[in-house]
Amino acid sequence: MNTTKKIALTAALVGTLGFAGLARNVSAKQTNSQLTVPQYQTTIAQASDGDGEINDDLEEKQEMAKYKSLAKITPEQAKAAAEAEIGGQASEVELENEDGNLVYEVEIGKKEVIVDAGNGKVLYTEDESQEDDEAAEANRPKSSIQVPDTDKD
């Protein structure tokens, strides 16, 4: 056989084998995509973070994610409202559940400005010395977003 025919037959053989391999690969992918894989429910192992409570950090993160979805304003908007009301520069902004009221607590100097997480209105301001004044707490304005109070100790 001459060299040209040998090369042509070799090329045809390699091409046929390559095409057969490709066809087998495609067929296997189609078969695998039609298989039903059983679904398993994953349970996260409960572990203590040393304070005697199980998964409290995880629960707190889930609770905060829920609160963020309920808030109608952003932390930046709460910060701007507090700074406009009090003046000064805010050092910290936190979304919190204050006795069933969803609010942003904005720290400006030694004051905490409580901003409604629903409409951005400043509800009240307190100094560090007023934080534990239970009599004042009863008369404070309520937030437009009410949530279950989970801080009952």
Side-chain angles (χ1 to χ4, degrees):
M1 233 197 274
N2 75 27
T3 309
T4 309
K5 286 185 180 178
K6 287 181 183 178
I7 292 173
L9 285 173
T10 304
L13 179 63
V14 170
T16 304
L17 291 175
F19 183 72
L22 179 63
R24 186 175 65 205
N25 222 0
V26 169
S27 174
K29 284 184 181 178
Q30 287 177 347
T31 304
N32 286 342
S33 68
Q34 294 172 355
L35 293 176
T36 302
V37 178
Q39 298 294 319
Y40 298 99
Q41 185 173 4
T42 305
T43 303
I44 298 173
Q46 292 185 346
S48 174
D49 59 4
D51 63 1
E53 295 182 20
I54 306 296
N55 281 341
D56 58 337
D57 290 339
L58 177 63
E59 290 173 7
E60 186 174 323
K61 285 180 183 178
Q62 290 172 340
E63 189 172 292
M64 289 311 296
K66 180 179 92 175
Y67 292 159
K68 283 180 184 180
S69 70
L70 293 173
K72 304 285 188 230
I73 66 167
T74 65
E76 291 79 19
Q77 291 170 313
K79 177 181 174 186
E83 289 174 346
E85 179 82 15
I86 301 301
Q89 186 69 28
S91 60
E92 188 176 352
V93 180
E94 291 181 341
L95 182 62
E96 294 191 357
N97 177 355
E98 287 284 326
D99 300 320
N101 296 289
L102 190 60
V103 296
Y104 282 101
E105 185 177 283
V106 183
E107 278 189 34
I108 300 178
K110 293 187 176 195
K111 293 187 177 201
E112 289 183 353
V113 182
I114 307 303
V115 180
D116 188 324
N119 59 24
K121 290 183 181 178
V122 173
L123 296 175
Y124 57 91
T125 303
E126 63 185 13
D127 291 324
E128 290 177 356
S129 61
Q130 296 174 315
E131 287 183 16
D132 295 325
D133 187 359
E134 290 183 27
E137 284 181 25
N139 297 323
R140 290 185 180 146
K142 303 292 184 201
S143 170
S144 62
I145 300 175
Q146 299 295 300
V147 293
D149 187 9
T150 58
D151 284 343
K152 296 180 181 175
D153 295 323

